[in-house]
Amino acid sequence: MLRSCLCLRGSKEDVKELDFRHCNLHSVPEEVYEFEQTLEELYLDSNNIKDLTVSLFHCQQLKKFSISDNELYAVPSGIANLIILQQLDLSKNGIVSIPDNIKCCKNLSVIDLSVNPLGKLPEGFTHLTNLTQLYLNDTILKYLPANFGKLTKLTVLELRENHLRSLPKTISKLTELERLDIGSNEFRELAKEVGSLTKLTELWIDANKITVLPEGLGGLTSLTFFDASCNRLEYLPADIQNWESLTDLHLSKNYLQELPENLGMVIVLS
């Protein structure tokens, strides 16, 4: 063991995983660079790291890189060198932008950028077509790129606590989505394109200003969880009777006077 808070997986000559979580670090440890030829997983969460050095991106065998809950304000363009990276967690930092050349990390399947003051995503982000899970909660987003629908392998998309008012029409192409969370934004209406996402099992639209749900949501027959609480809904469309798999329905703090009669078999929680 190279340091008291370091967890090694593998022999010293063939180290594939380093764990420096909760080590009170202010920079990336020098030990990391000793294993740049073999390192596949690196965990630096919950430290005080402010910068990522150029040398870090020489670790081109990295598949998982997690540096959540630090003090980063930027992601160096060198990240483009991590061409086989699969999982990236940069959540809970102070990152204000993502370099466009992140598009070179084409093997990324999971990205968590939550709790960063990003404001927007680079266009190159939509070239990450192998993404299956994307977490962008609390990132001050006002809009998504128009071609966001290129991310057709997404199964989880979380956009909670932003400033979004609309979704791009290309959202209809995300037909593999199983969970969509757009709660705590500034929507006044739900995009009709959501009705095309027929594999959805969870849909969160709570804490917005939505006054009416679009027709065409009846096709969401796999939906088991629906949260539309804290909106301004006055009625529900009749075609939600097709939500035969629904078990959790949250509608509190709306202006609803009645529910459709055919919702009788649904378990209403709140």
Side-chain angles (χ1 to χ4, degrees), residues 54-204:
V54 173
S55 299
L56 176 63
F57 303 107
H58 295 163
C59 301
Q60 296 184 19
Q61 299 304 310
L62 270 183
K63 295 179 180 179
K64 295 182 181 180
F65 179 36
S66 186
I67 189 166
S68 174
D69 194 16
N70 276 272
E71 299 177 14
L72 299 177
Y73 63 91
V75 178
S77 59
I79 197 169
N81 294 328
L82 305 182
I83 58 175
I84 66 172
L85 191 65
Q86 297 172 3
Q87 298 183 24
L88 176 63
D89 188 349
L90 295 167
S91 62
K92 299 180 183 179
N93 279 282
I95 299 168
V96 297
S97 65
I98 301 295
D100 190 68
N101 67 353
I102 195 173
K103 63 187 177 183
C104 297
C105 303
K106 295 184 181 299
N107 285 295
L108 275 170
S109 62
V110 180
I111 298 180
D112 192 343
L113 290 168
S114 297
V115 197
N116 281 292
L118 292 176
K120 64 179 182 179
L121 297 177
E123 285 297 322
F125 206 86
T126 59
H127 291 263
L128 302 176
T129 54
N130 283 308
L131 279 179
T132 60
Q133 298 179 35
L134 178 56
Y135 303 91
L136 294 167
N137 303 308
D138 194 8
T139 49
I140 322 182
L141 290 179
K142 293 184 178 180
Y143 62 91
L144 297 176
N147 56 354
F148 195 79
K150 292 171 64 176
L151 305 179
T152 56
K153 293 183 180 180
L154 279 178
T155 60
V156 176
L157 176 58
E158 294 190 4
L159 297 163
R160 174 171 289 274
E161 295 185 47
N162 283 292
H163 301 293
L164 297 170
R165 295 186 177 184
S166 63
L167 295 173
K169 293 186 181 299
T170 57
I171 200 84
S172 62
K173 297 180 180 179
L174 306 185
T175 54
E176 298 298 314
L177 266 186
E178 298 175 8
R179 180 163 85 241
L180 174 61
D181 188 347
I182 58 171
S184 298
N185 275 278
E186 299 177 11
F187 291 96
R188 294 184 179 275
E189 60 182 12
L190 181 63
K192 64 180 181 179
E193 288 79 13
V194 172
S196 302
L197 311 180
T198 56
K199 290 188 178 181
L200 279 180
T201 59
E202 296 181 29
L203 178 56
W204 305 68

Side-chain angles (χ1 to χ4, degrees), residues 248-260:
D248 294 355
L249 177 62
H250 300 262
L251 296 169
S252 61
K253 297 184 180 180
N254 277 287
Y255 303 142
L256 295 168
Q257 299 297 315
E258 60 182 8
L259 298 176

Side-chain angles (χ1 to χ4, degrees), residues 16-32:
K16 293 185 178 181
E17 178 176 336
L18 294 177
D19 190 341
F20 286 97
R21 287 175 285 196
H22 300 280
C23 289
N24 196 30
L25 298 173
H26 292 271
S27 61
V28 177
E30 290 296 322
E31 291 92 335
V32 170

